[in-house]
Amino acid sequence: MKNNLTNLRKELNFSQEALSKVLKVSRQTIISIEKGKYNPSLDLAFKIANVFNKSIEEIFIYEEE
């Protein structure tokens, strides 16, 4: 799944470490999500959306395989 997390994070001048602390996940989780190697749980996706004041659909782009 593609996402806009890197761009949104940089717009707010958040480091991966800072975002991981806000979301209470590891920095590696943020890296994996940004690279599209890990799809967050629905709970984590909502938390990410809340941090950026966006809808989940504005951050994560679903593509059928």
Side-chain angles (χ1 to χ4, degrees), residues 20-62:
S20 70
K21 286 182 180 182
V22 169
L23 296 171
K24 299 180 181 170
V25 297
S26 70
R27 182 173 161 265
Q28 187 60 43
T29 297
I30 301 301
I31 292 168
S32 295
I33 293 170
E34 287 184 354
K35 289 183 176 181
K37 295 183 177 185
Y38 172 74
N39 292 329
S41 66
L42 190 54
D43 184 54
L44 181 53
F46 272 110
K47 288 178 183 178
I48 292 169
N50 285 335
V51 167
F52 295 105
N53 198 29
K54 303 276 184 189
S55 69
I56 290 174
E57 293 85 359
E58 290 176 287
I59 300 171
F60 298 98
I61 300 102
Y62 176 74

Side-chain angles (χ1 to χ4, degrees), residues 1 39 62-65:
M1 179 178 335
N39 292 329
Y62 176 74
E63 295 179 327
E64 290 189 41
E65 294 180 26

